[in-house]
Amino acid sequence: DAGVTQSPTHLIKTRGQQVTLRCSPKSGHDTVSWYQQALGQGPQFIFQYYEEEERQRGNFPDRFSGHQFPNYSSELNVNALLLGDSALYLCASSLEVGRTEAFFGQGTRLTVV
Amino acid sequence: GDSVTQMEGPVTLSEEAFLTINCTYTATGYPSLFWYVQYPGEGLQLLLKATKADDKGSNKGFEATYRKETTSFHLEKGSVQVSDSAVYFCALSDRSNYQLIWGAGTKLIIKP
């Protein structure tokens, strides 16, 4: 079992650009959540996807959007990047039935310059 | 809204010392409580959890008890090792939506 995999591991973008981050959930998991972790802080919930729909959303602007595919993998898109978007972006997967605990990927380190 | 407060770090201890990392929470319902650990350069790993009051979660020598009366979930270990050096996060999830609410993290440094 490969666990939760995220790509790319590191990324450097320029202000104003757009970025897409990808996540493959743990085998058998159907729910994907995305978190933003700024340096030295705890993760902040961005949104959660289940059955290809955004089910919950945290306090993030519309520049942050996502998608879940039929195979349960997911993408996080961020438009019009700001310097403050620089962070570690974490993907977590879980199983809806029984509300199992979340398993996290290694994260994607995004740097906006 | 729901929130989690952890003791600030870094916490520096000698090997074989006793560890306590304090965590308190505010929640309107009856959340599940978690401790996650983040080793340098790695993602978050679930260390232990408790889903109801008075439950004790334990793993790898670490323990934490869900105390509803004091709204606390303190992490303890009787004898720490250098390999325990990491950042520890306390988190809660509301039973209705499973969104995780996190503390700021506590960096633990164990010296040989």
Side-chain angles (χ1 to χ4, degrees), chain B:
Chain B
D2 295 355
S3 65
V4 175
T5 303
Q6 292 181 235
M7 64 188 294
E8 288 191 22
V11 173
T12 304
L13 297 171
S14 297
E15 207 166 18
E16 298 184 2
F18 184 87
L19 167 72
T20 299
I21 300 178
N22 290 336
C23 171
T24 57
Y25 68 90
T26 302
T28 52
Y30 300 92
S32 294
L33 302 174
F34 305 85
W35 276 100
Y36 279 82
V37 58
Q38 189 171 37
Y39 297 102
E42 299 186 14
L44 291 156
Q45 300 176 27
L46 178 65
L47 182 59
L48 54 83
K49 68 175 183 179
T51 58
K52 62 183 186 298
D54 300 324
D55 266 3
K56 177 184 284 188
S58 61
N59 186 27
K60 299 181 181 179
F62 291 89
E63 293 182 340
T65 301
Y66 189 141
R67 301 286 188 199
K68 187 171 182 295
E69 63 276 13
T70 54
T71 61
S72 65
F73 193 55
H74 303 322
L75 182 67
E76 297 182 336
K77 186 175 185 182
S79 177
V80 292
Q81 306 300 313
V82 173
S83 58
D84 293 327
S85 298
V87 181
Y88 292 80
F89 291 92
C90 184
L92 68 80
S93 75
D94 183 284
R95 294 180 191 281
S96 64
N97 62 29
Y98 205 71
Q99 175 187 145
L100 284 166
I101 308 295
W102 300 80
T106 302
K107 184 173 183 178
L108 175 64
I109 302 169
I110 306 300
K111 296 188 173 182

Side-chain angles (χ1 to χ4, degrees), chain A residues 11-74:
Chain A
L11 202 53
I12 300 175
K13 289 287 190 178
T14 304
R15 274 181 302 175
Q17 284 189 314
Q18 179 264 343
V19 68
T20 298
L21 310 181
R22 295 176 175 82
C23 172
S24 293
K26 181 178 169 65
S27 178
H29 283 185
D30 55 10
T31 302
V32 173
S33 302
W34 287 91
Y35 292 84
Q36 180 194 67
Q37 186 180 15
L39 201 61
Q41 297 183 22
Q44 298 292 316
F45 176 76
I46 303 175
F47 42 54
Q48 183 181 82
Y49 277 84
Y50 172 68
E51 292 189 338
E52 302 179 48
E53 291 190 358
E54 182 183 292
R55 185 166 64 171
Q56 304 170 54
R57 189 179 183 90
N59 189 26
F60 279 80
D62 292 344
R63 298 186 298 109
F64 290 77
S65 63
H67 189 76
Q68 186 179 34
F69 299 94
N71 67 353
Y72 307 122
S73 67
S74 177

